[in-house]
Amino acid sequence: MLPVRQFFSHRLFWLALLVSLGIGALFARSIWTIRSDEWNYAAQSNTQLVRSLDQGLGWMLDTLDKSLEGVAREVGRPEVWGLPAELRARVVFDNSFQARGAGDVLVLDSQGDVVLDSAATVPRKLNLGDRDYFRAFQSGGHQGLFIGQPVPSRATGLNILPLARGYYHPDGSFAGVVVAAIRLSYFNEIFGALDLGPYHGINLLRSDGVVISRFPYGDLDVGRSLADSPNIRRFQQEGSGMLVANAAVDGAERLYTFRHVGNYPLILNVSQSTDSILARWYRSAWGLGAFALLLMASCVGLAALFVRELTLRQQVSARLREAEHNTRTILDNMPSMIGYWDDGLRNRFANKAYFEWFGVQAEKMPGMHLSDLLGADLFAHNKPFLDRALQGEPQVFECTFSDVHGVARHAMASYLPDPDETGKVRGVFVQVTDISDRKRLEDEQFNEKERMRLTLQSIGDAVVSADARGQVTYLNPVAERLTGWQAFDAAGHNVDEVVHLRSPEDESRHISPLRQAMEQGAAVEAVRGVVVHRTSGQRFLVEETSSPITDRHGAVTGAVAVLRDVTESVAMAERMAHLAQYDALTDLPNRVLLQDRAQLAIAQARRDGKSLAVMYLDLDGFKAVNDSLGHDVGDHLLAQFAQRLKAAVRATDTVCRQGGDEFVVLLPGLDGSAPACNVARKILAACDAPFELAGEWVRVGLSGGIALYPEHGDTLDALSRHADSAMYAAKHSGRRRFMLYAGEGAEPVPVLPDAAAEPGVEVAI
């Protein structure tokens, strides 16, 4: 054995030397690859940064350009200049100019004077006729958006970048310029928010080489022209790309990544010093080189140690295999399923019972994850117990699963933690014993009782049962909610104390249907009554049916009552009946109820020789309230107006909402037109006071028309038509008045003088 081992050791040494040389070659290649990666990373980062900045600036310029285009379009319309100043400002400056960093928008006339200002109704006194953008449009040599020379603002003194568009008279002649500005400090804010790292710079230039912004170098070079720089010529010729060149300002070698901003005459570039790009690589190269030499020396030294260690491990492995064989033989012959799972829940040992229960071959078990053995559902059930066992808490619990043959097994599982010397759990001993036969008997008894309990608890009606003495034995949850009694409190109490029905009409007590069922030995049909909650006093309208409970000999041993809550269904029926005849918003009678009352009133007037009046009313200016304050406020106005109408008429009169802001008033039992005119005056007086709407006092007028029975018709339809025509005559005559119908072809007669009211809506401030 010794010559063979010495020969193996000799070969291993040369192999280790070869490996060390390979390590050196790999490290050399890695160092060069890291250099390439550093350079490529810098190039990609700068390219991505330029692209992102291009997209952001392009989006901002697009937004500003669209806003300027909209302003130019509006001021080019002659009718805009005829509007009042405040309305003109809202039309021209419609809040679309909201880009961050943008200043105010100014509209210049053909002489360069400011005529409109987005910041104030009265424009500031400025003349910008000497600016390059104004001269470009005035000379007719430019169309579309013009990006001007960066200059200090005459209004604020801050450096700005002007953006302008011309606008023209309808005949195409030059009318003036719309100009906005971007604070140059805004570009520094954008660039300053980026983590550029040391020796980085961002430059924004016009296409002609004029510097707009240089970050982080401040505003010293703003407005400076670099048109003669070779770098600028490359930027202008290529449009976008990357180059390594010396800077025109300080002469340092930099990596430039450049790109045109959208379709605008702007060039954006990101620069980075080449020394800063490779600085980290220089440090890494020295460190990796030293580490490679250390590894090469260590590889040769470890080769000698490995040979000696290999011999010792072979001896230990032989003893371990023998011990494992003895342990497995013992555990495979135990009736329980026994295994060991590490802290990652991977198998380290499993006896033969695992194969019998789960059908997994013994050679496939080591390394298998517990979830793969148990399946998703069973593993999820066992996971909480496993987690606690891995935290050092022994677990004993029952579980049910199906084995490989489809046989359901109920088992008692035990998880015993296996801590190391420090107390950290490194695995779990698992023992699972089949207790299916015992559990089957227990489940059969439990299921029978549970089936009965769940049936009673799941129904939607209240269930109350009592024994032969009338004492409560059971309440389901619905019965607890209706009566206010808990099942454990009610048990043993007299059923009449827990559940007793009261008459819905006079609160008198009904005879207990449950006791009737026990006394008669037969079911009792549904009885409607009221149940009062024990603690809250809440009242429930219920229908109670009861049936006796008998034993196998027919003797009554108790009774069960079922109470169905009909409170909501009865209330809903009453509500639907009310809604069929009343307006939902104002709670006034609707057209259907008005028809019924009008027929009765006409029949009564015909018998008594009396008169009656039909009034049609319409609010003046209701649409203005809706448009200015909103439909919710309009609905609130209608509700207030309805209350004033009801207060202005008799209790025997009918006020009906026709629809929208139209109302109809029926006045029965009159002696001629005078009473109707008096009511009209009362209605006008009631509406004279302003209405409080959304915190404002609003004055709303009223126009109305009156038709009389029998002079103007003997049916509601005829009277309604004539009252409606009189109402429209009141509106055409100046509103805020009533007109009395005077017959076919005749002008309606005014009830009040023409000067009684002014049309329109007034808001008291």
Side-chain angles (χ1 to χ4, degrees), residues 307-326:
V307 174
R308 187 182 67 176
E309 186 67 20
L310 180 62
T311 302
L312 296 175
R313 286 182 178 273
Q314 289 174 345
Q315 296 173 355
V316 172
S317 295
R319 291 195 294 269
L320 287 176
R321 283 195 297 271
E322 182 179 1
E324 181 182 0
H325 172 74
N326 296 335

Side-chain angles (χ1 to χ4, degrees), residues 203-220:
N203 303 314
L204 180 63
L205 309 97
R206 288 202 318 186
S207 295
D208 58 2
V210 174
V211 176
I212 296 173
S213 175
R214 293 188 72 237
F215 182 83
Y217 306 108
D219 296 338
L220 295 178

Side-chain angles (χ1 to χ4, degrees), residues 334-363:
M334 295 187 67
S336 299
M337 190 167 62
I338 299 174
Y340 182 86
W341 304 82
D342 63 18
D343 55 0
L345 297 183
R346 295 196 174 276
N347 183 261
R348 293 294 177 262
F349 173 79
N351 68 348
K352 188 169 63 176
Y354 276 89
F355 170 73
E356 296 174 352
W357 289 20
F358 291 100
V360 180
Q361 297 293 338
E363 60 272 14

